[in-house]
Each structure stands twice: as C-alpha cells, then as structure tokens.
Amino acid sequence: MEHFTAAGGLVGTWAFPVGYFGPPNGVALDGSGDVYATDYERNRVYKFTSSGALLTTWDTSFPHPVDIAADGSGDVCVVELGGGVEKFTTGGSYQATIGSAGTGQGQFQEPVGIALDASGRIYVADAGRVRILRFLANGSFDMEFTPPGAPYDVAVGPDGNIYIVLFDFGQVYQYSPSGVLLLSFGSPSGLNGAYRIAINPTGTIFITEQRSTRITRFQIDRTTGVMRLTFGRLKALYR
C-alpha cells in the first residue's frame, strides 16, 4: 500500500500482512482516517490505521470483494462480484445485504464499483447491466440510470453530482443527482484504462488509470463545471 499527499508526494508505504492474497481492487478511508482494503481472492476486508498498522480483518459472505466504500457515520459497504453489496460497521459487524443478483431493475449482474454519499445512499456501478444503481441508506432501491458504456466505478462529489468512469472511454461523466447527464471531461493525455475514482470533501477528483499506472487529478469548479489541475504518476490499483 502506498500513501500520498493530495499533490502526489509520497508519505509512506506498508506491506500487506502474511496471508493476504489480493489484489487490492478496492481501497477506502473512513471519517477517522482509517484505511480499508479488499482481498479479492481471499474474500476478506483488511482495516489499517493511516500509518499501516493492522486493526482488524473480516470475511465477506460472497466471493471476490472488488470494491469498498466508507462514510463518516460508521458504515462500510463492500461490493462483491459473487453476490452484490454487504454493509458492515467499521469494526466488521455485518449489518445488511443490499440488492440481489439478476437482470431486472434494481438488481446486479456484474457490480464492480461502489460509493456512499453524505446521506448514506449507496451507489453501485454495474458493468454487466451497464447501469448505475442507487439505494437508500436503509437498503431499499431508489433509482438507476444507463451510462454510455460499462461503468467501472462511481463517486459523489460535494456538489451532489454523480461521477463515473468507463474503462475504455477515456472520459469522466458527470450526472445530476437524478441521473441526468451534465457533461463529460478528460485530460489532454487521455485517461488510459480509468478504473477507480475518488473525490475528497474539497472537490478534488482522483482517477486511477490501470493501463498507464498513474493517477490523474481534477478539481470540481462549482461555477464552471470541472477543470483539470495536474497529473500525478502514482501506482494504480490492479484488478
């Protein structure tokens, strides 16, 4: 695991403990700054301090946890290719299973990315159904919409808008909270295999590019939309 500043400066690194199989497809931070990482092959979640000290681990009920999201209210949601979405406490206690497998409205076929917003609503990127699905904090289905291609990840900005990345499209797509497309944007050098997206509370967007092994950074401009700030060539997440 590598820890960087928002500007791309290396803070530190740590090794995963013995028994971790990986790969760490999903990484998330909670309101206390603790770090969560998924173990795709061992079906487990690892929780660390911000300096890399292992705090706890827990198993998922379904195979292949591929992404994870945490919020400031003590909820941790894990999306699993083999089953859907599970909600846990920050200590790993199971709370609920969200949604179900299938091809109908509100169901998952190939869920690969997840995000939580300030209200605790759950957003899932489903590459198989080519949908973004939203559930309320209590787990009930709320809405879904169809992006122009298979979405790999989703995030919600402090502006309340929904941002998604499509692996092969080289663009980020911004949607309104109701699922209406507002704009798309990229960088001059392209987004080469955009795989994960994260947005911090100040509106800085970080995109991991799997093929280029780098992170590209943008900034949400509340007045004029979104503008690119700079690049950081960091180690991307590997699937």
Side-chain angles (χ1 to χ4, degrees), residues 5-224:
T5 67
L10 181 63
V11 175
T13 65
W14 70 82
F16 288 106
V18 175
Y20 181 90
F21 291 172
N25 287 306
V27 177
L29 299 176
D30 66 15
S32 301
D34 292 328
V35 182
Y36 302 80
T38 58
D39 187 336
Y40 181 84
E41 293 295 342
R42 199 172 182 183
N43 311 324
R44 182 167 290 183
V45 174
Y46 285 72
K47 179 181 178 181
F48 304 89
T49 66
S50 59
S51 59
L54 181 64
L55 294 173
T56 189
T57 69
W58 68 85
D59 294 332
T60 59
S61 299
F62 304 106
H64 302 317
V66 70
D67 199 14
I68 189 167
D71 62 19
S73 301
D75 292 324
V76 178
C77 288
V78 183
V79 62
E80 302 146 31
L81 285 179
V85 174
E86 289 188 295
K87 180 185 282 190
F88 301 89
T89 66
T90 55
S93 297
Y94 170 82
Q95 297 189 77
T97 297
I98 311 298
S100 62
T103 58
Q105 187 179 56
Q107 293 184 304
F108 305 124
Q109 186 173 351
E110 189 184 353
V112 292
I114 193 166
L116 300 174
D117 68 13
S119 301
R121 293 182 296 189
I122 303 159
Y123 298 76
V124 180
D126 191 312
R129 285 192 60 228
V130 192
R131 297 288 192 279
I132 298 295
L133 301 91
R134 186 170 71 195
F135 298 83
L136 302 180
N138 64 10
S140 60
F141 173 70
D142 185 27
M143 73 159 192
E144 64 179 45
F145 61 88
T146 305
Y152 268 65
D153 203 11
V154 58
V156 181
D159 56 358
N161 290 322
I162 305 163
Y163 296 80
I164 68 171
V165 290
L166 284 63
F167 192 83
D168 293 316
F169 279 60
Q171 292 281 299
V172 182
Y173 292 83
Q174 180 197 61
Y175 288 83
S176 72
S178 60
V180 176
L181 179 63
L182 300 176
L183 58 87
S184 64
F185 57 93
S187 80
S189 62
L191 295 174
N192 193 5
Y195 183 57
R196 289 287 177 240
I197 180 171
I199 306 176
N200 70 16
T202 64
T204 305
I205 303 172
F206 302 90
I207 309 289
T208 64
E209 298 173 59
Q210 198 174 50
R211 290 175 179 153
S212 296
T213 319
R214 69 183 178 189
I215 291 175
T216 299
R217 188 179 71 171
F218 301 85
Q219 180 65 41
I220 297 174
D221 186 324
R222 302 289 185 93
T223 302
T224 60

